């Protein structure tokens, strides 16, 4: 199996921006948010279980998941969040494994926003890369991007582990608190590191 990097970070830290830079080097990116979105489209593999568990009030007119309504529910009540995760996480993991088997790059980036909050991917991931910035930057970026108010952003952040805990568990850290040039240089440095580590991994006896 190739070297697999689990990329994570709090909301608004810039996971997508970092991921795009890794992709410019031809690295295969597997995004669990993207997979979750596909699973909850009309006729998505998760939809039957979601309808059965939550009812039709959470289904949009096009028969996909009403994400705004579901977001309100799961971030206000951990019981419902756990129910949704129990449906989605096994399906997401199965799809990640499938995509890993098809990947061809020297190493693979698997983007998992809740990597450290759950145990789903721990056996698959070889290294944890945390994209980091201050909590105030997280809030301002998320408000600008999603139009959520500060209270809702803080509610989402409250469901994630603290910045301190995240950094303590990281093997590698990218600090995304300046411009895109600064971010790109850090990605470039880690890309070279991961290439070297992937060669070492290939050369090690099984």
């Amino acid at each position: 199996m190739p070297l697999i990097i689990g990329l994570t970070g709090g909301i608004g830290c810039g996971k997508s921006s970092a991921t795009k830079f890794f992709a410019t080097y031809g690295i295969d990116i597997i995004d669990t948010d993207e997979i979750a979105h596909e699973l909850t489209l009309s006729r998505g593999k998760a939809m039957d279980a979601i309808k059965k568990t939550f009812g039709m009030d959470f289904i949009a007119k096009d028969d996909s998941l009403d994400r705004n309504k579901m977001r309100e529910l799961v971030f206000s009540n951990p019981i419902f969040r756990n129910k949704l995760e129990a449906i989605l996480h096994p399906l997401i993991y199965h799809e990640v494994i499938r995509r890993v088997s098809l990947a061809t790059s020297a190493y693979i980036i698997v983007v998992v926003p809740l990597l450290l909050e759950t145990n789903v991917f721990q056996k698959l991931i070889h290294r944890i890369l945390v994209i980091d910035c201050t909590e105030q930057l997280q809030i301002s970026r998320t408000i600008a991007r999603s139009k959520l108010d500060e209270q809702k952003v803080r509610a989402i952040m409250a469901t994630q582990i603290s910045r301190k805990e995240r950094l303590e568990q990281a093997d590698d850290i990218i600090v995304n608190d300046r411009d895109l040039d600064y971010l790109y240089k850090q990605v470039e440095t880690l890309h070279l590191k991961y290439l070297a580590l992937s060669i070492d991994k290939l050369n090690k006896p099984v």
Side-chain angles (χ1 to χ4, degrees):
M1 183 182 287
L3 181 71
I4 299 176
I5 310 299
L7 185 151
T8 193
I11 187 171
C13 282
K15 296 182 292 295
S16 296
S17 298
T19 300
K20 285 175 185 174
F21 284 142
F22 277 108
T24 64
Y25 290 108
I27 300 305
D28 287 311
I29 309 294
I30 302 172
D31 190 328
T32 57
D33 271 354
E34 180 186 296
I35 293 170
H37 184 82
E38 292 172 6
L39 291 170
T40 53
L41 292 173
S42 174
R43 299 183 183 177
K45 290 182 180 178
M47 290 308 295
D48 285 345
I50 287 173
K51 289 174 186 176
K52 189 178 293 184
T53 303
F54 295 96
M56 295 304 291
D57 285 346
F58 294 91
I59 308 304
K61 289 180 181 178
D62 65 356
D63 210 38
S64 66
L65 177 66
D66 188 325
R67 290 177 180 81
N68 290 331
K69 274 190 178 180
M70 186 60 77
R71 186 187 298 115
E72 292 279 348
L73 179 69
V74 300
F75 286 122
S76 64
N77 191 320
I79 292 173
F80 291 117
R81 185 171 71 249
N82 291 340
K83 286 184 177 183
L84 182 64
E85 289 175 352
I87 294 168
L88 289 177
H89 285 177
L91 294 171
I92 292 170
Y93 186 80
H94 180 78
E95 179 60 16
V96 168
I97 293 296
R98 188 187 73 82
R99 295 188 186 191
V100 164
S101 72
L102 299 173
T104 57
S105 56
Y107 63 92
I108 302 167
I109 299 276
V110 180
V111 185
V112 191
L114 297 179
L115 176 64
L116 302 176
E117 287 81 354
T118 67
N119 293 319
V120 179
F121 292 94
Q122 300 302 331
K123 291 180 181 177
L124 180 69
I125 299 300
H126 298 119
R127 293 185 72 82
I128 295 169
L129 167 58
V130 167
I131 313 301
D132 178 58
C133 70
T134 65
E135 291 186 359
Q136 195 52 53
L137 260 180
Q138 285 184 257
I139 293 166
S140 60
R141 284 173 178 167
T142 305
I143 290 172
R145 181 189 68 199
S146 64
K147 309 305 180 188
L148 295 172
D149 61 35
E150 182 170 341
Q151 185 178 355
K152 288 179 180 175
V153 176
R154 287 190 180 277
I156 294 171
M157 289 170 65
T159 68
Q160 302 177 337
I161 65 171
S162 70
R163 181 186 182 194
K164 180 175 182 290
E165 289 174 296
R166 196 179 291 118
L167 292 174
E168 284 173 351
Q169 295 186 57
D171 295 301
D172 305 295
I173 298 167
I174 284 177
V175 180
N176 184 25
D177 61 356
R178 300 187 201 174
D179 57 18
L180 287 175
D181 256 357
Y182 182 63
L183 176 62
Y184 180 78
K185 285 172 184 173
Q186 293 177 84
V187 170
E188 182 180 40
T189 299
L190 278 178
H191 170 64
L192 295 174
K193 176 180 180 177
Y194 293 154
L195 285 179
L197 287 173
S198 66
I199 292 169
D200 285 346
K201 188 174 185 304
L202 285 173
N203 290 336
K204 279 184 180 177
V206 178

